[in-house]
């Protein structure tokens, strides 16, 4: 049975995050040849090419894309174990901005594990639209920001630092509702500026499907309550759909909505080591 060395996996992940061997070497405190050699050894160990070295920005191969998810999870577990036994314990305050649907459906699972491993860290979570979280007025109020991105192409994925993954947008309703069969589609949506709302209206317009927004509310709890009452349909990232709601597959009446990108931005002013630890937890959990 082969074993994947943690040092090699960490170098692989950091090279991808930084977009090159030289920047990764500076981040890890190693030489550029040492980082390059670790990547070559990892490729030999797996018998796969992980990075296209002929591409301008070191694009991952399909094998590299697959390994990236595993590597993030392995590194997160390794760092959790080390953190649990660390001395002195990690402490401090983390100000975290996040879209509400991720805060409600995914974050509790991640944060509960983080809180058990680092009980002396205080986490302050603010829910808002990605546009607002990343605005010039607000972004410096946070240490970490989980953000959504519209229309993420392959080229844009390379340019978005700390890009995590794409997630499919899906139509959602209550199990008993037939709202999606109405001639004029009733929509439950977040306020203007929401990526989901903009995408839904754009795609319905292209499909020439009439619609009207019957209920506007900024957080997933309110949207879920409105959907449960049968007031209409909405769109959510597939990974955030609550168990109580039902995904409606795309059809001639409901066009495909495409995908959105998810990134985790760590602000430059954040020097607390707990911020990086939480970032690793979130990347592994979402991957």
């Amino acid at each position: 049975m082969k074993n994947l060395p943690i040092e090699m996996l960490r170098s692989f992940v950091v090279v991808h995050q930084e977009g090159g061997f030289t920047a990764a070497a500076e981040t890890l405190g190693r030489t550029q040849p040492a980082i390059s050699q670790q990547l070559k050894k990892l490729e030999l160990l797996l018998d796969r090419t992980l990075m296209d070295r002929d591409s301008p920005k070191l694009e991952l191969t399909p094998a590299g894309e697959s390994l990236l998810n595993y590597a993030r999870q392995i590194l997160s577990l390794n760092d959790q174990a080390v953190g649990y036994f660390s001395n002195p314990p990690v402490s401090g305050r983390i100000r975290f901005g996040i879209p509400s649907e991720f805060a409600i459906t995914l974050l509790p699972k991640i944060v509960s594990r983080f809180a058990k491993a680092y009980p002396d860290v205080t986490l302050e979570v603010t829910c808002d639209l990605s546009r607002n979280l990343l605005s010039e007025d607000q972004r410096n109020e946070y240490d970490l920001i989980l953000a959504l991105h519209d229309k993420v192409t392959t080229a844009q994925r390379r340019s978005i630092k700390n890009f995590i993954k794409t997630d499919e947008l899906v139509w959602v309703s209550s199990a008993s509702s037939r709202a999606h069969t109405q001639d004029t589609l009733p929509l439950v949506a977040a306020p203007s500026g929401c990526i989901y709302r903009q995408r839904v209206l754009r795609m319905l317009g292209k499909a020439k499907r009439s619609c009207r927004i019957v209920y506007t509310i900024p957080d997933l709890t309110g949207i879920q309550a409105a959907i449960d009452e049968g007031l209409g349909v909405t769109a959510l990232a597939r990974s955030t759909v609550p168990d109580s709601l039902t995904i409606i597959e795309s059809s001639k009446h409901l066009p495909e909505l495409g995908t959105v990108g998810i990134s985790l931005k760590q602000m430059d002013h954040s020097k607390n080591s707990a911020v990086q630890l939480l970032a690793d937890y979130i990347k592994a959990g979402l991957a």
Side-chain angles (χ1 to χ4, degrees):
M1 183 66 70
K2 297 178 180 179
N3 294 312
L4 297 175
I6 293 293
E7 293 80 3
M8 293 183 186
L9 292 177
R10 197 176 302 279
S11 294
F12 168 68
V13 170
V14 174
V15 167
H16 170 69
Q17 289 177 348
E18 298 297 333
F21 290 97
T22 301
E26 292 177 359
T27 299
L28 294 171
R30 305 289 301 276
T31 64
Q32 187 272 336
I35 299 299
S36 179
Q37 188 64 29
Q38 284 189 331
L39 264 293
K40 290 180 181 178
K41 288 181 178 179
L42 185 59
E43 289 178 324
L44 287 172
L45 182 63
L46 295 173
D47 194 24
R48 295 288 190 279
T49 299
L50 301 174
M51 292 185 171
D52 182 0
R53 291 168 172 78
D54 294 327
S55 64
K57 294 189 178 181
L58 281 178
E59 293 182 28
L60 294 178
T61 65
E65 292 279 2
S66 298
L67 178 64
L68 183 64
N69 289 335
Y70 287 118
R72 283 173 169 164
Q73 295 177 64
I74 293 169
L75 290 173
S76 179
L77 287 172
N78 173 81
D79 295 345
Q80 289 176 43
V82 172
Y84 183 83
F85 295 103
S86 65
N87 187 23
V90 176
S91 62
R93 180 185 67 149
I94 303 175
R95 300 165 301 169
F96 186 30
I98 184 173
S100 67
E101 64 271 27
F102 286 90
I104 292 169
T105 59
L106 296 180
L107 192 59
K109 301 174 185 177
I110 299 170
V111 170
S112 62
R113 291 189 286 110
F114 182 82
K116 290 175 182 177
Y118 305 101
D120 295 325
V121 175
T122 300
L123 184 61
E124 298 177 2
V125 179
T126 299
C127 298
D128 205 340
L129 298 177
S130 295
R131 183 184 68 174
N132 296 336
L133 294 171
L134 293 172
S135 69
E136 190 171 349
D137 291 338
Q138 290 193 33
R139 62 190 179 201
N140 287 327
E141 297 177 8
Y142 307 105
D143 301 301
L144 281 175
I145 298 175
L146 186 73
L148 299 171
H149 302 271
D150 194 14
K151 298 180 182 178
V152 179
T153 64
T154 301
Q156 287 172 322
R157 287 180 61 173
R158 293 195 301 267
S159 66
I160 299 173
K161 191 172 182 179
N162 291 320
F163 184 88
I164 298 177
K165 69 171 187 177
T166 56
D167 203 348
E168 179 187 8
L169 277 187
V170 293
W171 294 101
V172 177
S173 180
S174 66
S176 59
S177 174
R178 303 297 296 169
H180 62 285
T181 64
Q182 296 181 24
D183 291 337
T184 299
L185 185 67
L187 299 174
V188 177
S192 179
C194 171
I195 289 175
Y196 300 171
R197 175 179 173 138
Q198 293 172 344
R199 181 76 61 83
V200 163
L201 294 176
R202 184 167 67 247
M203 300 309 293
L204 288 174
K206 286 184 177 180
K208 294 181 170 54
R209 174 74 192 274
S210 62
C211 65
R212 63 190 179 96
I213 296 177
V214 298
Y215 199 74
T216 299
I217 192 164
D219 64 88
L220 180 59
T221 300
I223 290 175
Q224 182 177 351
I227 297 296
D228 283 335
E229 291 297 322
L231 296 182
V233 301
T234 194
L236 292 172
R238 182 179 288 273
S239 64
T240 68
V241 177
D243 293 337
S244 64
L245 300 183
T246 299
I247 294 175
I248 310 170
E249 297 303 329
S250 300
S251 66
K252 63 179 181 180
H253 301 295
L254 294 175
E256 291 186 3
L257 296 172
T259 61
V260 292
I262 304 171
S263 72
L264 185 65
K265 182 175 180 60
Q266 185 170 339
M267 309 309 291
D268 294 336
H269 62 256
S270 301
K271 304 300 182 182
N272 190 338
S273 61
V275 174
Q276 183 60 56
L277 290 171
L278 179 59
D280 292 341
Y281 266 69
I282 293 169
K283 289 175 186 176
L286 292 176

